[in-house]
């Protein structure tokens, strides 16, 4: 059984249809990457998994059970946690407080604030600092750390490297291994196609609200990916 299964999801913003019959399966322990041009529907798919959006048709199964009509906080309790686009942290709270908030409604499990400081040592000296004063890379590390505090089985990451320095991106990708070791499965949306293909176990290319191509990076050629990405 897959950890997450999306079956023919059709998702709308009022009258505008953003996803058409999107189906995918995320297996436990994998890094599932979603790529595609701006506006292709990747964030919409993540928001559908986190429960911010509800498919008008189609269904979602988590661990084999339907979750379509489950409130977002209940999904967190089940082990689905989102790192939103744009490194959203609580700006007026300290780094440490941001982490503690992340544990709210979470599951028991291996992740604690100390574990997050071990994973991202750059956060350790910033514990008492207000999050608004952090750099982009520090905020992204904090946003991931906060999400881990709920001990997710599935972590959803939106545009994880957008706007970050290469050295920070490298650190974040290195952290993926620790996440997997802790029992976490990763569903990531990424603009940096070349980078994500080096770590992903499965890739889905979105094009105009549909999945144009999917498979393991090993089985897909660069030409196939380019064609699916640009729709040529
Ligand atoms: P990006 O990299 O730009 O975030 P994306 O692949 O994540 O791209 P989505 O954000 O999922 O794309 O957007 C899919 C489509 O839905 C786009 O046409 C977008 O304009 C539209 N859309 C996204 N959010 C809304 C919204 N709140 N209201 C109406 N339309 C929206």
């Amino acid at each position: 059984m897959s950890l997450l299964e999306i079956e023919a999801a059709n998702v709308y913003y009022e009258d505008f249809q953003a996803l058409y019959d999107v189906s995918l399966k995320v297996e436990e322990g994998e890094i599932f990457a979603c790529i595609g041009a701006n506006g292709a529907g990747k964030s919409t798919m993540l928001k559908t998994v986190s429960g911010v959006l509800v498919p008008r048709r189609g269904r979602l199964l988590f661990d084999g059970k339907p979750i379509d009509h489950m409130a977002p906080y209940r999904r967190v309790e089940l082990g689905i946690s989102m790192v939103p686009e744009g490194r959203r942290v609580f700006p007026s709270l300290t780094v440490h407080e941001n982490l503690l908030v992340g544990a709210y409604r979470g599951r028991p499990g291996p992740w604690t604030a100390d574990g997050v400081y071990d994973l991202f040592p750059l956060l350790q000296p910033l514990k008492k600092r207000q999050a608004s004063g952090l750099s982009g890379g520090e905020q992204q590390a904090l946003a991931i750390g906060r999400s881990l505090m709920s001990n997710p089985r599935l972590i959803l990451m939106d545009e994880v490297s957008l706007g970050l320095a290469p050295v920070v991106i490298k650190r974040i990708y290195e952290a993926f291994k620790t996440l997997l070791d802790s029992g976490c499965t990763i569903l990531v949306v990424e603009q940096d196609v070349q980078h994500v293909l080096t770590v992903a176990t499965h890739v889905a290319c979105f094009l105009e609200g549909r999945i144009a191509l999917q498979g393991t990076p090993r089985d897909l050629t660069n030409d196939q990916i380019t064609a699916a990405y640009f729709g040529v």
Side-chain angles (χ1 to χ4, degrees), residues 13 16 18 37-45 47 85 158-159 191:
Y13 295 98
F16 176 77
N38 282 343
K42 307 175 300 294
S43 300
T44 301
M45 184 275 299
K47 286 179 195 156
E85 188 176 359
D158 202 354
E159 306 284 11
Q191 292 273 335

Side-chain angles (χ1 to χ4, degrees), residues 21-206:
D21 289 325
V22 165
S23 297
L24 56 81
K25 287 181 183 181
V26 180
E27 308 302 333
E28 187 134 39
E30 79 171 339
I31 301 179
F32 191 114
C34 297
I35 59 173
N38 282 343
K42 307 175 300 294
S43 300
T44 301
M45 184 275 299
L46 287 189
K47 286 179 195 156
T48 306
V49 178
S50 70
V52 177
L53 296 170
V54 178
R56 212 170 278 179
R57 296 184 303 283
R59 35 176 226 163
L60 268 83
L61 303 171
F62 186 71
D63 218 6
K65 297 180 199 72
I67 55 164
D68 317 74
H69 295 287
M70 195 177 269
Y73 76 88
R74 290 269 297 119
R75 299 187 197 199
V76 177
E77 290 172 349
L78 274 187
I80 301 176
S81 181
M82 174 94 150
V83 182
E85 188 176 359
R87 317 184 266 279
R88 257 172 274 141
V89 293
F90 295 106
S92 62
L93 300 185
T94 65
V95 165
H96 196 68
E97 287 165 346
N98 264 280
L99 292 182
L100 298 183
V101 169
Y104 181 67
R105 295 273 188 195
R107 303 180 330 124
W111 286 102
T112 59
D114 285 341
V116 173
Y117 296 131
D118 284 344
L119 180 67
F120 295 121
L122 80 172
L123 293 177
Q124 176 86 45
L126 304 172
K127 254 182 177 178
K128 294 185 180 156
R129 209 64 97 66
Q130 223 178 308
S132 59
L134 304 186
S135 70
E138 291 160 354
Q139 286 185 348
Q140 185 62 292
L142 179 57
I144 295 171
R146 187 184 57 194
S147 181
L148 289 173
M149 290 291 287
S150 70
N151 281 297
R153 293 182 66 193
L154 176 67
I155 190 164
L156 314 172
M157 299 200 201
D158 202 354
E159 306 284 11
V160 76
S161 69
L162 193 66
L164 299 180
V167 56
V168 180
I169 298 172
K170 184 162 176 283
R171 185 67 202 95
I172 286 171
Y173 273 95
E174 283 166 1
F176 279 16
K177 181 162 183 340
T178 313
L179 268 56
L180 294 177
D181 289 345
S182 78
C184 202
T185 300
I186 301 174
L187 177 54
V188 59
V189 162
E190 181 57 280
Q191 292 273 335
D192 184 344
V193 175
Q194 290 315 322
H195 204 144
V196 80
L197 288 181
T198 63
V199 297
T201 47
H202 194 100
V203 58
C205 187
F206 282 70

